[in-house]
Amino acid sequence: MKAGCYSNRELSWLKFNGRVLEEAEDSTVPLAERLTFASIFQSNLDEFFMVRVGSLHDQMLYSPNLCENKTGMNPQQQIAAILDESRELCSRKDRVYFDLMAQMQELCGVELINFAKLSEEEAAYLEVYFNTEIRPLISPQVVGKRQPFPFLKNKEIYAIVELEAKSSEKIGIVPCNNGLFDRLIQLKTDPNRFMLVEELILHFAPQIFDHYKIKSKSLLRVVRNADLETEEESVFDEFQTEEKTDYREAMVELIKRRKKLCAVRAELSRAMNEEVVKKLCEHLDLPREQVFYTEAPLDLSFVFQIQDYLKTRPEFFYEKRVPQKSAMIRDEMPVMEQIAKKDILLCYPYESIQPFLRLLVEAAEDPEVVSVKMTLYRVAKYSKVVEALIKAAENGKEVVVLVELRARFDEENNIEWSRRLEEAGCRIIYGLDGLKVHSKLCLITRKTKKKIQYITQIGTGNYNEKTSTLYTDFSLMTASTDIGLEALMVFNALSMGQICEPETKHLMVAPNGLRQGLLKLMDEEIAVAKKGGHGYIGVKLNSLTDKVLIGKLIEASQAGVKIDMVIRGMCCLNPGIKGYTDNITVVSIVGRFLEHARIYMFGTGERQKLYISSADFMTRNMVHRIEVAVCVEADPLRRRIAQMFKLMMADNVKGRLMRPDGTYVRRQVRKKEINSQELFYAQAYEQAEKEQRERQEKEAKEAKKAGKDTAAHKAVKTGKKEALPHKAATKGARQGEKKK
């Protein structure tokens, strides 16, 4: 296989984060939203170092000669390449940050200041503020023989000063965000001018360390390894030897350990004496090359507070978008009855999650519902989904909930919800040894006098009301008995600590059945192409990294199968390489909403098979997780998803085309702009308007029969519509994203 067909996973991810940064650089994106993208870029990079660089750090210690299977790079080579690419990206981030803040000052009058820009009056005010509001609450420390170097918490900011003492050079440290004071300080003299508290503390370091001469000073932020995968089993074994077998308590212990893992990156806001930097690296056990100098603030999350001051200036934000009521749902009929008549598909964030929440509440209250079974990976902090499950348990239903406690960075939230569910009488299970449960599966069982009925929901995204307004996802709800029975097989296997056997027809379930099923479907398209037919594969994913599936895609391309892929993030397959991947097209969409839905399509026309799934084409999804893909069988739903996919492939506003060398370019707009996300919202709004008109006409007819003059009747008679709160948004969506 030609080596040029592959890209390194980690470097591919950094290219994705570069596309996020492009949104901050894009002058057609509203100003306040560009600041959001800059902050997202930074938080993405933090998590990347915590997880991926942390994992490579462990590999370098324990398996230094282990090479990744696509480009043959060992851990040390990957880390070196990551550091080079990250420095270039961070330089871009600094430039765009200062450009955005300059525009913020020019257009909005909002300014983030330092002491060089202060008047005497403002400097005097801040000195009083420091002495009364900050100094009494900080805990400075001098590092010396009797004062050991303190533990620096992950992602927190510290003021670091080089102190000249009589006997030797020392380091002074002051924590700058202890949660006791605000980070963003608003000047009393001008409410549009702000200062970051860490800059205030650093400025007054001479007063804090008044017995020393300060030779240099800087702000410091440390990012720590958060990859605990290699430690999980040892922690559980350790707990068992201590006669503590509770899985949840083991996870609590694991989270505590994560907070103390090694440093993988340090950022300094100013240049310091190289000897001081070396000492910091020694204390942190951090290689010198993993220290970054950053001109922009070390943590950009404060931009959301600045945005709060601009809420009265809508021109600096995206036009408001509100998830609309699905045209497939009727308010006057129970959701369960509607699903019994036909399969229903919800498309987030364009359509509301409310019908699914209604379904759960109906299940909790329906006397014929005997059980509700569900997998939970990530849920909202204040979850209506969990509230409905608790209500069902309190009403005497059997409620079985698989709570995945290993959902990275959501563990504490999931631990708390698992306790709440257990206290309410739900049966809680935690999955299988060595396998995360990442599937989005809900099964409601009803027992009537005539039969047992199943209502199954399978989704591509988490049961989270908040992210359903920010992420693009699909949610299929069906009363298919066959699908219900297969979902029951999955839950029964999980309840018994077993892996579901690969004998399902309508579901493909990892780890035993998903990759195998995909390879079989790809082989069918290869066979069609070899016979001279039109072989076709279309997939939408977050990431493509699994070498087995990549190899089959290359084989399919060589056989003449046309392959279209919408891949938001990592893509380890390079398209357009002659003789290998020249039948493959890859598009990445990075825009206002996070592309999260997974679609698998095979064939065209009547023989097309289409699935939605919780799984990316990654080895972890195929081998190390419980994942579910469901075949969408209803023709209208399949057509709708296929049409959406076609539009995403044509996106020339937020869609970037991947080139054979692994880089991405924006497409040229030849005839008209196609912004798929805006167009999908426009369709949702137009459908909502149509539904409202039809409702008004129906009410008017009923009123006419009854001889009444209702508001709807008057609206029809006068030709006026009731006020639509989304009218302006509909207009904006139709027009796409105008250049500001």
Side-chain angles (χ1 to χ4, degrees):
M1 195 71 72
K2 189 175 180 180
C5 292
Y6 296 103
S7 290
N8 176 265
R9 166 188 169 141
E10 319 306 344
L11 300 181
S12 179
W13 185 92
L14 287 171
K15 287 185 175 69
F16 155 68
N17 210 28
R19 297 193 291 279
V20 174
L21 192 57
E22 282 181 11
E23 292 299 295
E25 296 167 330
D26 188 347
S27 61
T28 67
V29 175
L31 182 58
E33 307 292 355
R34 292 173 68 186
L35 279 171
T36 298
F37 280 110
S39 180
I40 291 171
F41 164 85
Q42 185 191 56
S43 61
N44 281 351
L45 194 62
D46 285 345
E47 186 171 329
F48 174 75
F49 268 82
M50 290 163 65
V51 177
R52 296 306 308 164
V53 178
S55 175
L56 289 170
H57 176 272
D58 292 340
Q59 286 181 31
M60 195 164 61
L61 291 177
Y62 303 114
S63 306
N65 298 319
L66 180 67
C67 296
E68 57 96 16
N69 64 0
K70 299 175 192 71
T71 58
M73 298 172 73
N74 65 34
Q76 188 172 2
Q77 290 170 329
Q78 291 183 77
I79 289 175
I82 287 167
L83 294 176
D84 288 344
E85 184 68 21
S86 296
R87 281 196 169 82
E88 185 177 331
L89 286 170
C90 287
S91 295
R92 278 176 57 192
K93 180 259 298 180
D94 287 349
R95 290 194 297 270
V96 72
Y97 167 79
F98 286 110
D99 176 54
L100 293 175
M101 293 308 293
Q103 292 185 54
M104 191 68 68
Q105 181 182 358
E106 179 184 352
L107 301 175
C108 316
V110 173
E111 185 179 9
L112 194 67
I113 57 168
N114 56 39
F115 272 84
K117 297 182 177 181
L118 293 180
S119 66
E120 290 185 10
E121 182 185 4
E122 290 169 333
Y125 167 74
L126 284 173
E127 184 169 10
V128 171
Y129 185 92
F130 171 77
N131 286 321
T132 58
E133 302 293 331
I134 305 299
R135 190 165 188 174
L137 300 175
I138 59 176
S139 301
Q141 178 179 341
V142 174
V143 178
K145 292 181 180 178
R146 298 177 185 273
Q147 300 85 24
F149 193 87
F151 178 80
L152 304 185
K153 296 180 180 179
N154 185 41
K155 298 195 295 183
E156 295 202 2
I157 297 173
Y158 297 84
I160 303 291
V161 294
E162 179 189 5
L163 304 172
E164 184 178 326
K166 292 180 180 178
S167 57
S168 62
E169 306 300 315
K170 294 187 175 183
I171 295 175
I173 300 177
V174 187
C176 294
N177 46 349
N178 56 16
L180 299 175
F181 39 74
D182 294 332
R183 184 174 178 219
L184 200 62
I185 302 167
Q186 188 176 28
L187 291 191
K188 191 175 182 180
T189 52
D190 186 346
N192 287 327
R193 285 158 66 85
F194 302 88
M195 177 172 281
L196 293 173
V197 72
E198 61 262 30
E199 291 290 345
L200 186 65
I201 291 171
L202 190 66
H203 178 79
F204 286 109
Q207 291 187 23
I208 299 170
F209 300 99
D210 54 359
H211 292 358
Y212 299 89
K213 179 182 177 182
I214 293 179
K215 297 180 68 177
S216 63
K217 60 183 181 178
S218 177
L219 296 171
L220 170 68
R221 183 170 176 265
V222 175
V223 173
R224 293 189 174 276
N225 185 355
D227 183 57
L228 287 169
E229 299 291 336
T230 56
E231 292 197 21
E232 285 185 15
E233 295 304 323
S234 62
V235 171
F236 300 146
D237 292 343
E238 179 185 323
F239 258 60
Q240 289 192 348
T241 59
E242 296 174 3
E243 297 183 353
K244 296 178 181 178
T245 58
D246 187 272
Y247 181 85
R248 187 166 55 203
E249 294 309 311
M251 283 303 304
V252 171
E253 177 66 20
L254 206 60
I255 293 166
K256 289 179 183 176
R257 291 193 181 193
R258 180 168 67 196
K259 295 176 181 178
K260 298 180 181 179
L261 293 181
C262 68
V264 291
R265 180 168 172 247
E267 295 174 282
L268 290 168
S269 67
R270 293 158 176 82
M272 296 191 77
N273 184 320
E274 187 58 30
E275 289 302 313
V276 175
V277 177
K278 286 182 180 179
K279 283 183 181 180
L280 287 172
C281 289
E282 288 173 10
H283 287 301
L284 293 169
D285 193 21
L286 182 72
R288 175 63 181 83
E289 59 268 21
Q290 287 174 227
V291 177
F292 286 64
Y293 288 97
T294 303
E295 295 180 20
L298 299 182
D299 179 358
L300 295 181
S301 60
F302 71 90
V303 301
F304 298 106
Q305 289 176 264
I306 285 182
Q307 288 175 357
D308 288 340
Y309 291 95
L310 299 175
K311 289 300 183 185
T312 57
R313 305 285 299 275
E315 66 270 24
F316 296 119
F317 295 88
Y318 287 126
E319 285 191 80
K320 187 176 181 180
R321 299 283 184 263
V322 179
Q324 296 297 293
K325 188 181 79 171
S326 168
M328 299 190 76
I329 298 292
R330 295 288 177 266
D331 291 336
E332 65 276 7
M333 183 187 299
V335 176
M336 279 196 284
E337 287 186 23
Q338 297 179 63
I339 297 170
K341 294 177 182 292
K342 63 179 180 181
D343 290 356
I344 290 175
L345 181 75
L346 300 178
C347 301
Y348 309 143
Y350 317 110
E351 295 170 344
S352 172
I353 195 175
Q354 287 303 316
F356 175 66
L357 298 178
R358 275 180 60 194
L359 172 66
L360 291 180
V361 172
E362 286 176 17
E365 296 174 345
D366 187 340
E368 293 183 330
V369 168
V370 295
S371 71
V372 180
K373 300 178 180 181
M374 199 169 188
T375 59
L376 295 182
Y377 192 75
R378 300 186 196 275
V379 294
K381 189 173 182 180
Y382 305 103
S383 175
K384 293 180 181 178
V385 170
V386 176
E387 287 177 5
L389 294 173
I390 289 172
K391 187 174 184 180
E394 290 173 345
N395 287 346
K397 318 295 182 189
E398 180 194 25
V399 179
V400 179
V401 186
L402 190 144
V403 182
E404 181 49 78
L405 298 186
R406 292 168 295 180
R408 188 180 279 123
F409 307 126
D410 266 3
E411 297 99 337
E412 291 176 271
N413 190 44
N414 287 4
I415 285 168
E416 181 56 33
W417 279 124
S418 72
R419 288 179 175 142
R420 290 273 306 275
L421 287 161
E422 200 167 51
E423 288 169 3
C426 302
R427 179 152 59 93
I428 305 299
I429 51 179
Y430 298 117
L432 309 178
D433 291 344
L435 293 174
K436 280 187 181 180
V437 179
H438 188 251
S439 59
K440 323 301 179 188
L441 187 63
C442 176
L443 178 65
I444 297 166
T445 304
R446 298 179 77 234
K447 186 178 184 302
T448 67
K449 293 180 180 179
K450 296 181 179 179
K451 61 178 180 178
I452 293 176
Q453 178 188 20
Y454 299 107
I455 293 178
T456 312
Q457 183 273 342
I458 306 102
T460 66
N462 297 302
Y463 298 114
N464 187 317
E465 304 93 288
K466 182 177 180 180
T467 57
S468 73
T469 66
L470 303 171
Y471 296 3
T472 72
D473 274 306
F474 294 116
S475 174
L476 175 69
M477 297 181 286
T478 178
S480 164
T481 301
D482 291 338
I483 290 177
L485 288 170
E486 292 185 4
L488 183 61
M489 286 175 57
V490 176
F491 280 110
N492 286 344
L494 291 172
S495 296
M496 294 185 287
Q498 299 172 353
I499 297 173
C500 185
E501 294 301 319
E503 56 192 38
T504 50
K505 181 180 178 183
H506 304 275
L507 304 181
M508 293 191 291
V509 185
N512 279 353
L514 182 51
R515 185 199 264 167
Q516 298 86 329
L518 290 168
L519 293 172
K520 181 181 177 182
L521 289 163
M522 290 182 193
D523 279 333
E524 290 174 3
E525 295 309 303
I526 291 171
V528 168
K530 285 182 175 179
K531 291 178 181 178
H534 180 53
Y536 181 76
I537 298 171
V539 294
K540 181 179 183 297
L541 307 165
N542 295 338
S543 301
L544 170 62
T545 66
D546 183 71
K547 193 173 182 182
V548 175
L549 294 173
I550 290 173
K552 185 59 70 173
L553 289 167
I554 294 172
E555 181 186 340
S557 173
Q558 290 176 310
V561 177
K562 178 175 170 53
I563 302 170
D564 290 330
M565 297 196 288
V566 178
I567 302 176
R568 184 194 80 221
M570 295 179 288
C571 181
C572 295
L573 170 62
N574 295 333
I577 296 175
K578 190 173 181 180
Y580 292 91
T581 61
D582 35 1
N583 286 311
I584 299 176
T585 303
V586 178
V587 172
S588 172
I589 297 174
V590 178
R592 175 175 181 173
F593 304 106
L594 184 85
E595 290 293 337
H596 194 254
R598 289 87 164 187
I599 304 168
Y600 316 150
M601 293 192 299
F602 304 92
T604 57
E606 292 183 358
R607 67 180 192 85
Q608 182 191 65
K609 295 176 183 176
L610 188 151
Y611 293 78
I612 61 170
S613 176
S614 56
D616 291 308
F617 283 12
M618 301 178 72
T619 303
R620 72 182 189 189
N621 297 94
M622 298 295 144
V623 179
H624 303 298
R625 290 185 172 186
I626 305 295
E627 303 275 13
V628 172
V630 61
C631 185
V632 179
E633 297 179 345
D635 287 339
L637 306 189
R638 195 167 64 247
R639 283 196 301 270
R640 183 184 182 192
I641 295 171
Q643 288 167 358
M644 292 179 74
F645 180 83
K646 184 178 179 181
L647 193 59
M648 285 184 273
M649 281 298 301
D651 193 315
N652 57 21
V653 176
K654 297 302 178 183
R656 283 86 162 170
L657 198 63
M658 188 178 183
R659 297 191 293 192
D661 62 356
T663 60
Y664 291 78
V665 291
R666 287 184 183 269
R667 290 165 152 177
Q668 292 184 347
V669 179
R670 299 190 182 278
K671 294 182 179 180
K672 64 176 182 179
E673 289 187 350
I674 300 175
N675 184 330
S676 58
Q677 293 182 349
E678 290 294 336
L679 287 170
F680 295 147
Y681 242 124
Q683 291 169 5
Y685 276 119
E686 287 167 3
Q687 187 61 48
E689 288 184 17
K690 180 182 176 183
E691 290 288 313
Q692 184 161 325
R693 285 195 302 271
E694 290 175 355
R695 177 178 58 80
Q696 287 179 344
E697 290 168 3
K698 183 179 178 182
E699 288 180 5
K701 287 178 182 178
E702 291 173 353
K704 188 175 181 181
K705 283 183 182 180
K708 295 178 180 178
D709 216 21
T710 64
H713 190 193
K714 288 178 182 177
V716 172
K717 284 198 302 183
T718 59
K720 295 179 180 178
K721 298 177 185 176
E722 294 177 17
L724 290 170
H726 54 260
K727 193 68 177 177
T730 308
K731 182 180 178 182
R734 285 178 184 144
Q735 292 173 345
E737 289 195 356
K738 296 179 180 178
K739 291 188 177 182
K740 301 284 179 183

